[in-house]
């Protein structure tokens, strides 16, 4: 007897292996999948400006990367003893302006390079609600704990998102003609909008992505949102806040994601990588023993051999 409804995922017309490169931008779910890819030693860059939730802020990141436009001093704001940017996550903030700029721009240069050579760009939308800073007039990726009265809050429409991304995808095709663009909607609930408001917000995202998939070639959708709602329809798959998904749910979605997009060769290599990682992460009782040193050298040799066969494989410990 089946105890769940399984989401049918159509196999795409491409597959990904260890010769492929990834760029991931968006909400916490992009970070979740990015971490899984990194753990398995794929060539990955994830969120060069930090976590971003809404389509307009994601678009701002993509535009900056495509134009390789650095952050300038006049874009920074001073708040609570730190320099920060409306377009960046708080992890880039710093008490010294030059340090803040260096952190931001180093990631922009790296992200711009990765976007130009990426085989897959994964974009995860979290919400269609956005905040516009009243004084500057810009839509912000992060409110940085400024008072709510400093912002105008509104919901993007389906036509606005579709029009914005049609232009972006055309620009992206010019700088990276071979890239595949994979959209997802984050399964994390934005409960501040209320149950109904959260569903309306997610619906806008789903309708906009569906229209983009219909209109554009090399654009795809992965149903992470539907997997959580249908296959994992139980609060045990949520974290303690009952809003974010649990580690067990992330593992399950990763399995569906992996089986959908990775080639047979990549899955075989990944099993070798998992075995090597497990050995390298082992904490022995005596790390100085000859037995453990020989064991570690053997694993490092296996990793080196894989790296020679797949030059993009991440060999960092």
């Amino acid at each position: 007897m089946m105890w769940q409804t399984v989401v049918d995922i159509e196999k795409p017309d491409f597959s990904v292996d260890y010769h492929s490169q990834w760029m991931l931008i968006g909400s916490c779910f992009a970070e979740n999948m990015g971490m899984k890819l990194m753990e398995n030693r794929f060539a990955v860059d994830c969120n060069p400006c930090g976590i971003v939730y809404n389509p307009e802020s994601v678009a701002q990141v993509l535009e900056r990367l495509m134009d390789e436009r650095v952050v300038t001093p006049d874009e920074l704001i001073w708040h609570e003893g730190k320099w920060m940017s409306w377009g960046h996550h708080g992890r880039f903030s710093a008490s010294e302006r030059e340090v803040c700029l260096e952190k931001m721009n180093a990631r922009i240069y790296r992200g711009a390079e990765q976007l130009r050579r990426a085989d897959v760009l994964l974009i995860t939308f979290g919400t269609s609600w956005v905040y516009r800073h009243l004084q500057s007039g810009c839509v912000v990726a992060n409110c940085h704990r400024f008072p709510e009265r400093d912002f105008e809050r509104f919901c993007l429409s389906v036509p606005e998102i579709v029009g914005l991304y049609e232009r972006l995808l055309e620009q992206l095709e010019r700088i990276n003609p071979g890239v595949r663009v994979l959209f997802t909607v984050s399964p994390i609930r934005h409960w501040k909008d209320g149950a109904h408001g959260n569903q309306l917000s997610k619906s806008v995202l789903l309708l906009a992505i569906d229209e983009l998939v219909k209109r554009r070639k090399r654009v795809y959708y992965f149903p992470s949102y539907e997997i959580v709602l249908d296959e994992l329809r139980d609060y045990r798959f949520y974290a303690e806040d009952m809003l974010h998904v649990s580690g067990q749910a992330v593992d399950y979605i990763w399995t569906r994601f992996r089986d959908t997009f990775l080639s047979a060769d990549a899955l075989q290599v990944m099993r070798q990588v998992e075995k090597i990682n497990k050995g390298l992460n082992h904490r022995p009782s005596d790390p100085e023993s000859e037995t453990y040193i020989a064991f570690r050298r053997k694993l490092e040799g296996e990793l080196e051999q894989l790296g020679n066969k797949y030059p993009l494989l991440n060999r960092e410990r």
Side-chain angles (χ1 to χ4, degrees), residues 146-163:
F146 273 70
E148 194 168 343
R149 64 177 179 272
D150 291 353
F151 303 92
E152 173 196 10
R153 183 174 181 266
F154 62 96
C155 191
L156 296 171
S157 68
V158 172
E160 285 173 329
I161 297 171
V162 172

Side-chain angles (χ1 to χ4, degrees), residues 3-266:
W3 292 101
Q4 63 178 175
T5 51
V6 178
V7 177
D8 182 43
I9 305 175
E10 185 178 349
K11 271 285 187 181
D13 58 359
F14 74 100
S15 60
V16 183
D17 57 26
Y18 277 88
H19 297 294
S20 307
Q21 303 199 57
W22 292 79
M23 167 65 80
L24 298 91
I25 298 177
S27 73
C28 301
F29 183 72
E31 301 263 317
N32 294 150
M33 293 299 100
M35 284 302 300
K36 290 294 183 184
L37 288 164
M38 290 177 195
E39 287 169 7
N40 287 286
R41 299 183 181 273
F42 285 92
V44 179
D45 193 358
C46 184
N47 278 336
C49 296
I51 296 170
V52 281
Y53 297 98
N54 71 78
E56 188 156 341
S57 293
V58 172
Q60 289 173 1
V61 174
L62 283 169
E63 287 171 342
R64 188 179 286 277
L65 295 178
M66 287 190 286
D67 297 338
E68 206 166 333
R69 178 165 45 87
V70 297
V71 180
T72 57
D74 60 298
E75 291 182 73
L76 298 184
I77 51 177
W78 177 258
H79 183 60
E80 295 182 346
K82 288 186 176 181
W83 292 100
M84 56 192 67
S85 157
W86 290 125
H88 283 75
H89 190 269
R91 70 187 187 211
F92 289 91
S93 302
S95 56
E96 296 181 22
R97 178 184 283 185
E98 291 306 315
V99 172
C100 182
L101 287 171
E102 185 178 348
K103 287 165 66 176
M104 292 176 178
N105 290 332
R107 288 295 287 113
I108 287 168
Y109 283 128
R110 197 172 99 199
E113 183 181 358
Q114 183 73 355
L115 183 60
R116 280 173 166 76
R117 63 191 182 191
D119 298 286
V120 182
L121 167 63
L122 172 65
I123 297 174
T124 301
F125 294 150
T127 178
S128 53
W129 285 97
V130 300
Y131 286 82
R132 177 181 286 122
H133 185 239
L134 293 173
Q135 185 175 354
S136 66
C138 67
V139 169
V140 304
N142 196 305
C143 293
H144 296 300
R145 299 183 182 177
F146 273 70
E148 194 168 343
R149 64 177 179 272
D150 291 353
F151 303 92
E152 173 196 10
R153 183 174 181 266
F154 62 96
C155 191
L156 296 171
S157 68
V158 172
E160 285 173 329
I161 297 171
V162 172
L164 175 60
Y165 276 83
E166 282 242 88
R167 294 191 297 274
L168 276 174
L169 293 174
E170 286 175 3
Q171 183 181 353
L172 180 60
E173 284 179 6
R174 289 193 291 272
I175 68 168
N176 186 347
V179 68
R180 311 273 183 168
V181 180
L182 176 58
F183 284 99
T184 66
V185 172
S186 170
I188 297 167
R189 296 181 296 164
H190 289 249
W191 208 243
K192 184 179 179 180
D193 301 328
H196 184 57
N198 174 70
Q199 290 297 89
L200 290 175
S201 170
K202 301 288 189 185
S203 298
V204 169
L205 301 176
L206 291 166
L207 287 168
I209 293 170
D210 187 62
E211 189 63 29
L212 288 167
V213 171
K214 289 175 182 176
R215 292 189 187 189
R216 310 289 307 182
K217 294 180 180 179
R218 309 172 80 87
V219 174
Y220 307 83
Y221 175 67
F222 178 74
S224 54
Y225 181 73
E226 292 84 347
I227 288 170
V228 171
L229 260 62
D230 284 279
E231 293 189 33
L232 306 181
R233 196 186 302 173
D234 194 304
Y235 273 111
R236 65 196 170 101
F237 294 111
Y238 282 85
E240 290 183 2
D241 64 2
M242 296 296 155
L243 302 176
H244 289 76
V245 292
S246 68
Q248 188 179 21
V250 171
D251 290 343
Y252 182 84
I253 299 168
W254 162 248
T255 300
R256 298 298 312 275
F257 185 87
R258 175 197 72 192
D259 293 346
T260 301
F261 296 106
L262 299 190
S263 68
D265 179 67

